[in-house]
Amino acid sequence: MSAFVYKADPVRGRVWAEVFARQAEPELDFRIWPEIGDPAEVHYLAAWDPPADIRDTFPNLKLLFSSGAGVDQFKFDQLPADLPVVRMVEPGIIKGMVEYVSWAVLSLHRDMPAYQRLQREHSRWMPIQVRPAAKRCIGVLGMGSLGQAVLGQLRSFGFDCAGWSRSRHAVDGVRCFAGAEELGALLSRSELLICLLPLTEATRGFLNAELFAQLPAGASLIHVGRGPQLVEADLTAALASGQLKHAILDVTDPEPLPSSHAFWQHPQIWLTPHIASMTQPETAAEVVLENIRRFEAGEEMVGLVDRGLGY
Ligand code: GLV
């Protein structure tokens, strides 16, 4: 008997169970934590927060799947070195991110923060000249599956798009920058900067005063990476000086953000509670089953984490 344990939101787990019942059982038995049955039978685990003593809990575990796109919540030093870890790369999460970033970009491109202020001031009918999308330069930090999908959608609106990542990528119609030495070139043209970077030691505190200073004056930030990538005081200072005009933050540090935090009241910040994108249980379960098939066949899995890089 081979079993799969799911240890995340149980409501979504029930949808995973239906997919497994249709596509994998009886060969692979689906179990929702804490009903794990015989631990020796568990070969696969999908979790947001795996048990600390993972090898003691599941002595025959072959694969660990993150139930979300990120893996920064995993304590890698506590995971067995030989246990493959797989990120969630599934169509539902990608589509959600494309929707959110499109909403954020279009809101900023069409000056919605300014119109909200004007409405609050009552009867100030003050049109702002509309800029064509082709004249608006957008920069995306992080060109993995999410970044590339976002760039594809923004291009279809006609925006002037560029992307930056650690290693070189090629995306049709998008200016691609790579590595530390090309970061400045991406920043200096990005009126709207979107952060889609994974959280690693290299990206902690990445969105800081030095980076903001390299953007065109009056640029805006859309942050959909991870909270600890942002130096809050530097953002507040850049908004106050006018170097930045507006920020849309879907992630904060900590989460939830305490109700006393200044960001809640900040007129130049829009906050959402880490909802830019969510794993969709139906498609996630299908992708995980396909990855298990690939693993068993000795084929390459989608989203296999490089522990050296941390994503
Ligand atoms: C959400 O941020 C995720 O990692 O899926």
Side-chain angles (χ1 to χ4, degrees):
M1 168 67 80
S2 187
F4 183 104
V5 166
Y6 171 93
K7 184 177 182 292
D9 169 37
V11 175
R12 290 191 240 177
R14 285 196 277 282
V15 181
W16 283 62
E18 287 163 22
V19 175
F20 274 66
R22 276 199 311 273
Q23 299 189 13
E25 284 169 353
E27 292 79 15
L28 187 58
D29 193 38
F30 184 84
R31 302 168 187 174
I32 297 185
W33 180 277
E35 310 298 326
I36 61 171
D38 177 358
E41 294 171 351
V42 176
H43 294 154
Y44 310 102
L45 171 67
W48 180 256
D49 180 23
D53 45 357
I54 198 165
R55 238 348 160 221
D56 295 338
T57 313
F58 302 114
N60 298 317
L61 194 65
K62 296 200 245 180
L63 282 182
L64 170 62
F65 294 96
S66 171
S67 60
V71 288
D72 51 285
Q73 74 281 14
F74 287 175
K75 297 181 184 67
F76 280 101
D77 53 349
Q78 291 175 15
L79 294 176
D82 59 347
L83 179 66
V85 177
V86 186
R87 287 179 288 118
M88 186 59 71
V89 181
E90 62 93 9
I93 228 173
I94 294 174
K95 200 161 181 299
M97 188 57 82
V98 167
E99 287 174 2
Y100 183 95
V101 174
S102 300
W103 159 78
V105 164
L106 292 173
S107 296
L108 296 173
H109 171 61
R110 297 301 305 268
D111 298 304
M112 291 305 144
Y115 290 119
Q116 271 207 339
R117 272 195 303 279
L118 291 168
Q119 182 173 353
R120 262 187 254 113
E121 287 165 22
H122 298 285
S123 60
R124 290 205 49 203
W125 189 272
M126 205 178 82
I128 302 168
Q129 178 63 39
V130 174
R131 287 249 305 277
K135 293 210 157 54
R136 179 82 68 188
C137 291
I138 299 189
V140 173
L141 299 172
M143 295 184 71
S145 45
L146 295 175
Q148 293 193 30
V150 160
L151 281 161
Q153 179 65 53
L154 295 178
R155 260 201 64 214
S156 76
F157 287 121
F159 290 110
D160 183 347
C161 291
W164 177 86
S165 51
R166 190 187 51 79
S167 58
R168 174 98 37 214
H169 286 80
V171 178
D172 237 19
V174 173
R175 289 186 61 184
C176 297
F177 299 93
E181 57 294 347
E182 293 180 20
L183 178 60
L186 178 285
L187 295 175
S188 65
R189 72 185 298 287
S190 298
E191 295 169 89
L192 300 183
L193 184 72
I194 298 152
C195 178
L196 264 165
L197 293 169
L199 178 62
T200 65
E201 278 323 302
T203 67
R204 198 172 285 276
F206 199 81
L207 302 173
N208 57 27
E210 196 193 328
L211 178 142
F212 297 144
Q214 295 174 68
L215 296 169
S220 291
L221 172 70
I222 297 165
H223 186 23
V224 281
R226 286 290 188 256
Q229 291 165 336
L230 175 67
V231 181
E232 292 185 358
D234 291 0
L235 174 65
T236 312
L239 289 168
S241 73
Q243 175 58 18
L244 285 187
K245 185 152 76 177
H246 195 86
I248 297 182
L249 309 177
D250 183 56
V251 290
T252 58
D253 184 24
E255 291 178 5
L257 199 62
S259 54
S260 56
H261 197 286
F263 280 3
W264 286 110
Q265 304 288 341
H266 199 296
Q268 293 158 278
I269 294 178
W270 286 357
L271 278 179
T272 52
H274 201 142
I275 47 73
S277 191
M278 292 178 194
T279 304
Q280 295 301 325
E282 179 92 31
T283 36
E286 284 170 6
V287 163
V288 161
L289 281 173
E290 168 60 11
N291 262 337
I292 290 175
R293 188 202 63 71
R294 288 177 182 225
F295 175 75
E296 296 295 351
E299 295 169 21
E300 198 179 324
M301 288 183 286
V302 178
L304 179 64
V305 170
D306 177 330
R307 293 230 198 160
L309 294 174
Y311 63 93

PDB file of all heavy atoms in Angstrom, residues 41 122 128-129 141 157 159 166 186 215 252 255 258 301 304 309:
ATOM      1  N   GLU A  41       3.267   3.495   5.416  1.00  0.00           N
ATOM      2  CA  GLU A  41       2.732   3.434   4.046  1.00  0.00           C
ATOM      3  C   GLU A  41       2.803   4.789   3.330  1.00  0.00           C
ATOM      4  O   GLU A  41       2.561   4.877   2.132  1.00  0.00           O
ATOM      5  CB  GLU A  41       1.265   2.981   4.093  1.00  0.00           C
ATOM      6  CG  GLU A  41       1.113   1.554   4.578  1.00  0.00           C
ATOM      7  CD  GLU A  41      -0.344   1.175   4.822  1.00  0.00           C
ATOM      8  OE1 GLU A  41      -1.233   2.061   4.772  1.00  0.00           O
ATOM      9  OE2 GLU A  41      -0.588  -0.015   5.064  1.00  0.00           O
ATOM     10  N   HIS A 122     -15.109  64.922  -2.311  1.00  0.00           N
ATOM     11  CA  HIS A 122     -16.447  65.308  -2.777  1.00  0.00           C
ATOM     12  C   HIS A 122     -16.414  66.287  -3.953  1.00  0.00           C
ATOM     13  O   HIS A 122     -15.752  67.305  -3.900  1.00  0.00           O
ATOM     14  CB  HIS A 122     -17.285  65.932  -1.644  1.00  0.00           C
ATOM     15  CG  HIS A 122     -17.513  64.963  -0.540  1.00  0.00           C
ATOM     16  ND1 HIS A 122     -18.403  63.920  -0.622  1.00  0.00           N
ATOM     17  CD2 HIS A 122     -16.921  64.847   0.664  1.00  0.00           C
ATOM     18  CE1 HIS A 122     -18.365  63.211   0.482  1.00  0.00           C
ATOM     19  NE2 HIS A 122     -17.465  63.747   1.273  1.00  0.00           N
ATOM     20  N   ILE A 128      -7.690  63.151 -15.359  1.00  0.00           N
ATOM     21  CA  ILE A 128      -6.236  63.125 -15.544  1.00  0.00           C
ATOM     22  C   ILE A 128      -5.988  62.543 -16.936  1.00  0.00           C
ATOM     23  O   ILE A 128      -6.631  61.554 -17.311  1.00  0.00           O
ATOM     24  CB  ILE A 128      -5.570  62.231 -14.469  1.00  0.00           C
ATOM     25  CG1 ILE A 128      -5.910  62.751 -13.060  1.00  0.00           C
ATOM     26  CG2 ILE A 128      -4.057  62.122 -14.674  1.00  0.00           C
ATOM     27  CD1 ILE A 128      -5.557  61.792 -11.925  1.00  0.00           C
ATOM     28  N   GLN A 129      -5.087  63.144 -17.672  1.00  0.00           N
ATOM     29  CA  GLN A 129      -4.799  62.666 -19.029  1.00  0.00           C
ATOM     30  C   GLN A 129      -4.443  61.167 -19.014  1.00  0.00           C
ATOM     31  O   GLN A 129      -3.601  60.739 -18.231  1.00  0.00           O
ATOM     32  CB  GLN A 129      -3.630  63.472 -19.614  1.00  0.00           C
ATOM     33  CG  GLN A 129      -3.199  63.051 -21.011  1.00  0.00           C
ATOM     34  CD  GLN A 129      -4.299  63.251 -22.062  1.00  0.00           C
ATOM     35  OE1 GLN A 129      -5.033  64.240 -22.042  1.00  0.00           O
ATOM     36  NE2 GLN A 129      -4.426  62.287 -22.958  1.00  0.00           N
ATOM     37  N   LEU A 141      10.124  41.854 -11.254  1.00  0.00           N
ATOM     38  CA  LEU A 141      11.251  41.194 -10.601  1.00  0.00           C
ATOM     39  C   LEU A 141      10.862  39.746 -10.365  1.00  0.00           C
ATOM     40  O   LEU A 141       9.908  39.473  -9.643  1.00  0.00           O
ATOM     41  CB  LEU A 141      11.559  41.858  -9.251  1.00  0.00           C
ATOM     42  CG  LEU A 141      11.966  43.331  -9.267  1.00  0.00           C
ATOM     43  CD1 LEU A 141      12.047  43.876  -7.836  1.00  0.00           C
ATOM     44  CD2 LEU A 141      13.304  43.496  -9.971  1.00  0.00           C
ATOM     45  N   PHE A 157      -1.991  43.737 -22.954  1.00  0.00           N
ATOM     46  CA  PHE A 157      -2.613  45.066 -22.792  1.00  0.00           C
ATOM     47  C   PHE A 157      -1.831  46.130 -23.562  1.00  0.00           C
ATOM     48  O   PHE A 157      -2.282  47.262 -23.676  1.00  0.00           O
ATOM     49  CB  PHE A 157      -2.644  45.485 -21.315  1.00  0.00           C
ATOM     50  CG  PHE A 157      -3.659  44.751 -20.477  1.00  0.00           C
ATOM     51  CD1 PHE A 157      -3.269  44.017 -19.369  1.00  0.00           C
ATOM     52  CD2 PHE A 157      -5.013  44.815 -20.779  1.00  0.00           C
ATOM     53  CE1 PHE A 157      -4.201  43.357 -18.586  1.00  0.00           C
ATOM     54  CE2 PHE A 157      -5.948  44.156 -19.996  1.00  0.00           C
ATOM     55  CZ  PHE A 157      -5.541  43.419 -18.892  1.00  0.00           C
ATOM     56  N   PHE A 159       1.422  47.110 -22.701  1.00  0.00           N
ATOM     57  CA  PHE A 159       2.431  47.810 -21.893  1.00  0.00           C
ATOM     58  C   PHE A 159       3.841  47.522 -22.415  1.00  0.00           C
ATOM     59  O   PHE A 159       4.090  46.488 -23.040  1.00  0.00           O
ATOM     60  CB  PHE A 159       2.341  47.368 -20.426  1.00  0.00           C
ATOM     61  CG  PHE A 159       1.107  47.862 -19.724  1.00  0.00           C
ATOM     62  CD1 PHE A 159       0.083  46.980 -19.363  1.00  0.00           C
ATOM     63  CD2 PHE A 159       0.956  49.210 -19.440  1.00  0.00           C
ATOM     64  CE1 PHE A 159      -1.061  47.440 -18.734  1.00  0.00           C
ATOM     65  CE2 PHE A 159      -0.187  49.680 -18.804  1.00  0.00           C
ATOM     66  CZ  PHE A 159      -1.201  48.791 -18.453  1.00  0.00           C
ATOM     67  N   ARG A 166      17.475  36.288 -11.662  1.00  0.00           N
ATOM     68  CA  ARG A 166      18.853  35.905 -11.329  1.00  0.00           C
ATOM     69  C   ARG A 166      19.547  35.354 -12.576  1.00  0.00           C
ATOM     70  O   ARG A 166      20.641  35.767 -12.933  1.00  0.00           O
ATOM     71  CB  ARG A 166      18.794  34.850 -10.215  1.00  0.00           C
ATOM     72  CG  ARG A 166      20.088  34.499  -9.561  1.00  0.00           C
ATOM     73  CD  ARG A 166      19.855  33.323  -8.627  1.00  0.00           C
ATOM     74  NE  ARG A 166      19.171  32.243  -9.321  1.00  0.00           N
ATOM     75  CZ  ARG A 166      19.764  31.380 -10.140  1.00  0.00           C
ATOM     76  NH1 ARG A 166      21.057  31.438 -10.340  1.00  0.00           N
ATOM     77  NH2 ARG A 166      19.064  30.437 -10.762  1.00  0.00           N
ATOM     78  N   LEU A 186      17.030  47.615 -15.333  1.00  0.00           N
ATOM     79  CA  LEU A 186      15.588  47.318 -15.221  1.00  0.00           C
ATOM     80  C   LEU A 186      14.912  48.376 -14.369  1.00  0.00           C
ATOM     81  O   LEU A 186      13.860  48.917 -14.728  1.00  0.00           O
ATOM     82  CB  LEU A 186      15.416  45.914 -14.611  1.00  0.00           C
ATOM     83  CG  LEU A 186      14.047  45.290 -14.298  1.00  0.00           C
ATOM     84  CD1 LEU A 186      13.368  45.867 -13.062  1.00  0.00           C
ATOM     85  CD2 LEU A 186      13.114  45.338 -15.488  1.00  0.00           C
ATOM     86  N   LEU A 215      14.577  53.812  -9.193  1.00  0.00           N
ATOM     87  CA  LEU A 215      13.359  53.865 -10.032  1.00  0.00           C
ATOM     88  C   LEU A 215      13.149  55.292 -10.524  1.00  0.00           C
ATOM     89  O   LEU A 215      13.631  56.243  -9.911  1.00  0.00           O
ATOM     90  CB  LEU A 215      12.151  53.427  -9.193  1.00  0.00           C
ATOM     91  CG  LEU A 215      12.154  51.980  -8.692  1.00  0.00           C
ATOM     92  CD1 LEU A 215      11.047  51.777  -7.650  1.00  0.00           C
ATOM     93  CD2 LEU A 215      11.964  51.008  -9.847  1.00  0.00           C
ATOM     94  N   THR A 252       2.953  41.139   3.868  1.00  0.00           N
ATOM     95  CA  THR A 252       3.524  41.993   4.909  1.00  0.00           C
ATOM     96  C   THR A 252       4.320  41.102   5.855  1.00  0.00           C
ATOM     97  O   THR A 252       4.284  39.876   5.762  1.00  0.00           O
ATOM     98  CB  THR A 252       2.406  42.706   5.707  1.00  0.00           C
ATOM     99  OG1 THR A 252       1.549  41.716   6.276  1.00  0.00           O
ATOM    100  CG2 THR A 252       1.609  43.660   4.832  1.00  0.00           C
ATOM    101  N   GLU A 255       2.354  38.610   9.096  1.00  0.00           N
ATOM    102  CA  GLU A 255       0.983  38.426   8.609  1.00  0.00           C
ATOM    103  C   GLU A 255       0.232  37.636   9.672  1.00  0.00           C
ATOM    104  O   GLU A 255       0.770  36.628  10.138  1.00  0.00           O
ATOM    105  CB  GLU A 255       0.981  37.653   7.276  1.00  0.00           C
ATOM    106  CG  GLU A 255       1.559  38.484   6.152  1.00  0.00           C
ATOM    107  CD  GLU A 255       1.615  37.738   4.824  1.00  0.00           C
ATOM    108  OE1 GLU A 255       1.123  36.593   4.752  1.00  0.00           O
ATOM    109  OE2 GLU A 255       2.160  38.296   3.877  1.00  0.00           O
ATOM    110  N   PRO A 258      -0.526  43.714  12.328  1.00  0.00           N
ATOM    111  CA  PRO A 258      -1.252  44.159  13.530  1.00  0.00           C
ATOM    112  C   PRO A 258      -2.119  45.387  13.222  1.00  0.00           C
ATOM    113  O   PRO A 258      -1.743  46.210  12.382  1.00  0.00           O
ATOM    114  CB  PRO A 258      -0.137  44.536  14.514  1.00  0.00           C
ATOM    115  CG  PRO A 258       1.133  44.021  13.940  1.00  0.00           C
ATOM    116  CD  PRO A 258       0.927  43.730  12.489  1.00  0.00           C
ATOM    117  N   MET A 301      10.539  16.479 -12.545  1.00  0.00           N
ATOM    118  CA  MET A 301       9.285  16.998 -11.983  1.00  0.00           C
ATOM    119  C   MET A 301       9.176  18.503 -12.213  1.00  0.00           C
ATOM    120  O   MET A 301      10.180  19.190 -12.306  1.00  0.00           O
ATOM    121  CB  MET A 301       9.231  16.712 -10.486  1.00  0.00           C
ATOM    122  CG  MET A 301       9.009  15.249 -10.170  1.00  0.00           C
ATOM    123  SD  MET A 301       8.871  14.972  -8.388  1.00  0.00           S
ATOM    124  CE  MET A 301      10.562  15.147  -7.867  1.00  0.00           C
ATOM    125  N   LEU A 304      10.540  21.251  -8.977  1.00  0.00           N
ATOM    126  CA  LEU A 304      11.520  20.663  -8.047  1.00  0.00           C
ATOM    127  C   LEU A 304      12.414  21.787  -7.498  1.00  0.00           C
ATOM    128  O   LEU A 304      12.972  22.579  -8.261  1.00  0.00           O
ATOM    129  CB  LEU A 304      12.363  19.611  -8.777  1.00  0.00           C
ATOM    130  CG  LEU A 304      13.438  18.924  -7.921  1.00  0.00           C
ATOM    131  CD1 LEU A 304      12.807  18.104  -6.794  1.00  0.00           C
ATOM    132  CD2 LEU A 304      14.320  18.031  -8.786  1.00  0.00           C
ATOM    133  N   LEU A 309      19.606  27.166  -3.982  1.00  0.00           N
ATOM    134  CA  LEU A 309      19.042  28.482  -4.303  1.00  0.00           C
ATOM    135  C   LEU A 309      17.917  28.863  -3.346  1.00  0.00           C
ATOM    136  O   LEU A 309      17.608  30.033  -3.175  1.00  0.00           O
ATOM    137  CB  LEU A 309      18.492  28.485  -5.737  1.00  0.00           C
ATOM    138  CG  LEU A 309      19.527  28.320  -6.856  1.00  0.00           C
ATOM    139  CD1 LEU A 309      18.841  28.185  -8.205  1.00  0.00           C
ATOM    140  CD2 LEU A 309      20.488  29.509  -6.864  1.00  0.00           C
TER     141      LEU A 309
END
